[in-house]
Amino acid sequence: MKYFYLYACCIPVKGYCRSLIIDTQREKIYYIPNALFHILSTFRNKNIDWIKDYFKQNEVIDQYFIYLIDNDLGVFVDNIHSFPPIELKYNSPHIITNAIIEISNKSSHNYSNIFLQLSHLSCENIELRYLCETTISSLRSVLNITDKIPFRSLVMILPYKSEFSYEKISVLANTYPVIKSIHIYNSPVFQSYTTESDCSIIFNLQKNILPDQCGKISFAHFSFNLKTISEAISFNSCLNKKVCIDSFGNIRNCLSKIQTFGHINKVKLKSVVESAEFQCLWTIKKDEITVCKDCEYRYICTDCRAFIKDPSDIYSQPAKCTYNPYIAKWEGEDDS
Ligand code: SF4
């Protein structure tokens, strides 16, 4: 007796009109009918003869399996119990995984204090988001502080300045290997590079990075890796384990959220981020959000709790989403 084994790295997700297989290793998705989703999930432990007998649709069932094998998504096996499904449980030893620090002309951040407090939360990834112009030398003085702290990655977002030639910026990236990407907005031309230290440097034409531009939902922002999928199944895919410090030093869940949780110089970051009040949005899963819960993209899609369609309902769909899972179309998408 043969069973079909969908590779463990391939995660089937059911939507209202259609389903997906997310190949987390090749970071690709495949659209499948909901009937095939049921065969791969509900009837995973049934052999092929049993499935054909149950559906009385031999030809269709054969076509389904040919499609899966042609796309290298699985194989026939003799014993399905030798191939248990992958566990999609999200575990992270980090109290905070990502922190955004916003910087403007009015900022008087004590970077040593902020970075030290973030390191006590075992924060992995830092984003420095500049709303104002800066210089290479002031960037160096901030980066010298991060150098003593074991962050995994640092992203810098800066407004364009003529001083920021690729040569000077790449020297900065090569000097501080923690920098994984530098985005320079309001650039007169679009350019994209990768440095010797594997840092991506992008000069883009975007005029500014105001917080109201946050929350865009599009295919380009989807993430297909196992870690983000596991997180989205159990937690909020935007806010879980994230903290922001705005340009005035206020602690927030997100720079676009109005609510603040005290000033970084006056309260302990650890006590804020460990409070139930700060974490209350961390557990809002896509499976609980109106419309999203019926969407086949829900585990690869980013969420947004700052801009929602019904501000009186925290389980409301992100306001900037134009996808309709009930007809499987993005707004403006051609019917053909
Ligand atoms: S409905 Fe929109 S926001 Fe919700 S999961 Fe689907 S694509 Fe994402």
Side-chain angles (χ1 to χ4, degrees), residues 217-219 222 286 289-305 309 317-325 330:
I217 306 287
S218 76
F219 201 89
F222 288 173
K286 282 284 195 191
I289 295 171
T290 316
V291 182
C292 298
K293 64 186 173 199
D294 294 321
C295 179
E296 63 276 22
Y297 295 130
R298 64 193 178 280
Y299 302 141
I300 53 176
C301 176
T302 44
D303 191 42
C304 176
R305 288 300 91 202
K309 291 195 173 163
Q317 186 190 14
K320 297 181 189 175
C321 176
T322 66
Y323 186 66
N324 182 344
W330 296 90

Side-chain angles (χ1 to χ4, degrees), residues 13 22 92 105 120 158-159 169 176 206 238 249 259 292 296 311 322:
V13 184
I22 311 166
S92 168
N105 285 328
H120 290 156
L158 314 163
I169 291 288
Y176 301 94
Q206 188 181 335
C238 184
Q259 189 179 13
C292 298
E296 63 276 22
T322 66

Side-chain angles (χ1 to χ4, degrees), residues 11-29:
I11 315 295
V13 184
K14 184 178 177 299
Y16 185 86
C17 295
R18 60 183 177 181
S19 296
L20 284 187
I21 292 175
I22 311 166
D23 181 339
T24 60
Q25 258 175 19
R26 280 168 280 201
E27 306 211 348
K28 281 175 81 172
I29 57 168

Side-chain angles (χ1 to χ4, degrees), residues 4 20 22-23 46 52 58 91 105 110 122 132 136 154 185 195 214 224 227 231 264-265 285:
F4 187 79
L20 284 187
I22 311 166
D23 181 339
K46 302 290 185 191
K52 285 183 175 174
N58 286 9
N91 272 319
N105 285 328
N110 176 341
S122 59
C132 59
I136 299 276
L154 192 141
Y185 62 92
T195 66
C214 187
F224 306 104
K227 192 173 166 205
E231 189 173 19
I264 185 72
N265 293 345
K285 310 179 261 295

